[in-house]
Amino acid sequence: MLTVQRRQAHLAGMLDVLGFDIQQTTTLESITQDVVRSSEIEGERLNMDSVRSSIARHLGVEKTDSVASDHYTEGVVQVELDAVQNCNEPLTKERLCDWHAALFPTGRSGMYKITVADWRQGEDPMLIVSGAVGKERVRDAIETSELRLDSVLKKAAFWNSHAQTPLNERQRKIINRLFDGFDGPLTSSKWAKICECSPDTALRDINDLIGKGILAKSSAGGRSTHYELG
C-alpha cells in the first residue's frame, strides 16, 4: 500500500506544478476519456467532440470549437461530473435515482421502466474501496491516471508550442483526434470523411501540416500512404 500511496502523492505533485490552464485541460481531457471509455463498455459509442464540449460547458472552460450534445450525452456527463466532484458523498438510493433521471428523464428506457433496487442489509457500495480489492483498484486507477496525464501533457505542450501557428478548424479537429486515439491510420480519405470536405481540400490540409512539421508521411506508398504526428 505504501507504493500506492507514493505513486498517488507523485501524481498529485505532478498536477500541482502544472499551470492553471493545463490543469483545466487535464481535467477536461481526463473526464472526457472516462465518459467515452465507460460508455463503450456499456455498448454506447459517444462522439468524443460532443462529450468534450458538454464537459467544457459544465466546467466553464472556454472552447471555440463547441459541438452540440444530445440529451443522453448531457445526462452521462452530468452523472460523471457528480461522481467526480462529489466523490466523498455517500452513494445513496436518492443519488442513484438522480443519476437515472439524468439518463432517462421519463423513467423509462424504451418500453421498460427503470427501477433502483433497495440496498440489502449490510450492503454498502463504498466498502469496495477497502481491503485488498480496494487497494488493487486504487493502484489501477493511479496507473490509468498516469498514462492519461502523460497523454494530456503531450497534447497541452503541443498546443502551447503551436499557439500562434495558423490552423483551420479541420486541422485542429484531426490533430485532437490523433492525440485522443485515432481509429486506425490517418489517410486523406478518412480526413475528407471526418471533416466532410473534398479529397482535394483534405490533401491541402495535410500537406500544409507536413510543411509546418506537424504531420509526417509514412514510408509506405500508394494505397498504404498514411500520416502521423511528426
Side-chain angles (χ1 to χ4, degrees):
M1 185 62 182
L2 181 60
T3 301
V4 173
Q5 291 174 335
R6 286 175 176 172
R7 292 181 68 177
Q8 187 175 17
H10 175 68
L11 181 63
M14 291 176 66
L15 289 171
D16 285 340
V17 300
L18 298 177
F20 179 73
D21 288 342
I22 297 183
Q23 284 189 23
Q24 278 194 324
T25 301
T26 302
T27 300
L28 175 60
E29 294 302 328
S30 179
I31 298 178
T32 298
Q33 293 288 337
D34 279 341
V35 170
V36 173
R37 303 309 178 209
S38 297
S39 297
E40 286 178 351
I41 294 175
E42 299 298 325
E44 295 284 347
R45 294 185 64 87
L46 301 181
N47 181 282
M48 186 168 291
D49 293 332
S50 179
V51 171
R52 184 184 292 107
S53 293
S54 176
I55 296 171
R57 287 193 293 271
H58 284 286
L59 294 179
V61 179
E62 293 186 9
K63 282 183 63 63
T64 58
D65 55 343
S66 181
V67 178
S69 305
D70 58 29
H71 178 83
Y72 181 76
T73 297
E74 286 290 325
V76 173
V77 167
Q78 290 174 18
V79 171
E80 179 74 13
L81 288 177
D82 179 67
V84 171
Q85 296 174 333
N86 302 302
C87 59
N88 293 322
E89 297 296 322
L91 189 57
T92 63
K93 178 180 178 179
E94 181 181 4
R95 192 176 180 193
L96 287 175
C97 287
D98 289 340
W99 288 359
H100 275 288
L103 297 174
F104 309 102
T106 63
R108 307 184 69 86
S109 176
M111 62 181 289
Y112 301 103
K113 184 177 181 180
I114 303 298
T115 61
V116 179
D118 291 332
W119 297 115
R120 287 188 234 166
Q121 182 67 29
E123 280 190 343
D124 184 351
M126 299 308 292
L127 290 179
I128 197 171
V129 300
S130 64
V133 175
K135 294 175 183 178
E136 185 65 29
R137 294 195 177 186
V138 171
R139 184 182 296 108
D140 291 343
I142 291 174
E143 290 177 353
T144 300
S145 296
E146 288 173 340
L147 292 174
R148 288 181 179 172
L149 179 58
D150 181 64
S151 175
V152 169
L153 288 175
K154 289 179 180 177
K155 183 176 180 180
F158 172 87
W159 286 118
N160 282 339
S161 64
H162 289 281
Q164 303 303 319
T165 303
L167 299 170
N168 60 46
E169 289 304 313
R170 295 184 302 275
Q171 292 171 323
R172 291 179 177 277
K173 181 176 183 178
I174 296 296
I175 291 171
N176 279 324
R177 287 281 188 96
L178 290 172
F179 274 110
D180 294 337
F182 197 80
D183 186 14
L186 171 62
T187 62
S188 58
S189 59
K190 283 186 180 180
W191 184 298
K193 182 177 180 179
I194 293 172
C195 297
E196 299 180 346
C197 64
S198 69
D200 288 342
T201 297
L203 198 54
R204 280 196 300 271
D205 286 343
I206 291 171
N207 287 332
D208 178 60
L209 292 181
I210 292 176
K212 292 172 179 173
I214 295 175
L215 284 185
K217 189 176 182 179
S218 68
S219 57
R223 294 180 179 271
S224 300
T225 299
H226 61 274
Y227 309 88
E228 55 193 20
L229 290 171

